[in-house]
């Protein structure tokens, strides 16, 4: 029991370290690199533009670090066909709010906007290390929402992966 708790605690610390890391270090590319290094899982780093994920491309289009979709799978041979679990975690490695720039008090904590993604990646690491007989797939869309000349503007229209078009009313609402 203690060994299991230590493993889970170690992966909780991995998530904490990712969230606490500086945003110039924990970029979309770095988060994808770290996801690919999780032992016991298969990681796929998807180019959202090639995959038709227009909303992710639009939110991350103002960053020098291109957006990515991280897909991590744990599929042990011992896992039953059902149930299968899917985990999704938001991975905005820094969120200025775009043209709806956040206040000074709010912007200094925006490196933590990827805490959901960090938690999901750490959960997959723990699941794999504990060798759970469970099929799990994690999805972490990862990007930076910055304010540059290519940032999403209020009233821009973007096309989502489902083909729907969406008018952006708030460029700081990338998760909604």
């Amino acid at each position: 029991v203690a060994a299991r708790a230590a493993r889970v605690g170690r992966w909780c610390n991995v998530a904490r370290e990712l969230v606490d890391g500086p945003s110039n270090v924990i970029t979309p590319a770095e988060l994808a690199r770290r996801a690919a290094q999780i032992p016991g899982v298969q990681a796929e780093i998807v180019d959202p533009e090639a995959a038709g994920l227009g909303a992710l491309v639009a939110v991350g289009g103002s960053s020098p670090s291109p957006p990515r979709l991280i897909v991590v799978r744990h599929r042990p041979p011992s896992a039953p066909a059902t149930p299968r679990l899917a985990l999704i975690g938001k991975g905005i490695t820094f969120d200025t709010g775009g043209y709806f720039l956040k206040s000074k008090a709010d912007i200094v904590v925006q490196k933590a906007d990827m805490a959901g993604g960090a938690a999901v990646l750490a959960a997959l690491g723990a699941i794999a290390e504990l060798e759970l007989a469970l099929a799990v797939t994690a999805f972490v869309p990862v990007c930076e929402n910055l304010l540059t000349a290519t940032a999403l503007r209020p009233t821009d229209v973007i096309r989502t992966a489902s083909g729907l078009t969406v008018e952006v009313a708030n460029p700081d609402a990338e998760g909604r």
Side-chain angles (χ1 to χ4, degrees):
V1 174
R4 180 183 175 104
R7 289 177 180 162
V8 171
R10 199 167 46 254
W11 282 103
C12 286
N13 284 334
V14 167
R16 273 192 204 100
E17 290 167 5
L18 288 170
V19 172
D20 203 34
S23 56
N24 65 323
V25 173
I26 307 299
T27 63
E30 179 62 14
L31 195 58
R33 186 188 72 75
R34 292 190 189 193
Q37 292 180 331
I38 298 172
V41 300
Q42 299 81 42
E44 177 185 3
I45 310 305
V46 178
D47 175 356
E49 190 159 2
L53 303 175
L56 181 56
V57 171
V59 171
S62 60
S63 172
S65 183
R68 293 285 175 250
L69 174 64
I70 302 169
V71 182
V72 181
R73 293 179 177 87
H74 173 67
R75 298 261 191 273
S78 60
T82 58
R84 294 174 56 178
L85 180 63
L87 301 174
I88 302 171
K90 178 180 168 185
I92 307 296
T93 60
F94 195 79
D95 186 6
T96 66
Y99 279 100
F100 283 16
L101 191 62
K102 294 183 183 295
S103 70
K104 179 180 174 183
D106 290 336
I107 204 165
V108 295
V109 295
Q110 289 306 305
K111 67 180 184 178
D113 212 24
M114 47 74 75
V120 163
L121 294 176
L124 259 287
I127 289 166
E129 188 174 337
L130 293 170
E131 299 177 346
L132 299 182
L134 179 64
V136 183
T137 303
F139 301 91
V140 181
V142 59
C143 70
E144 295 175 305
N145 182 9
L146 301 182
L147 178 55
T148 69
T150 58
L152 249 155
R153 299 165 297 229
T155 72
D156 281 359
V157 175
I158 58 177
R159 183 171 303 279
T160 67
S162 68
L164 293 174
T165 54
V166 176
E167 181 178 7
V168 175
N170 181 347
D172 188 28
E174 69 283 332
R176 299 177 281 284

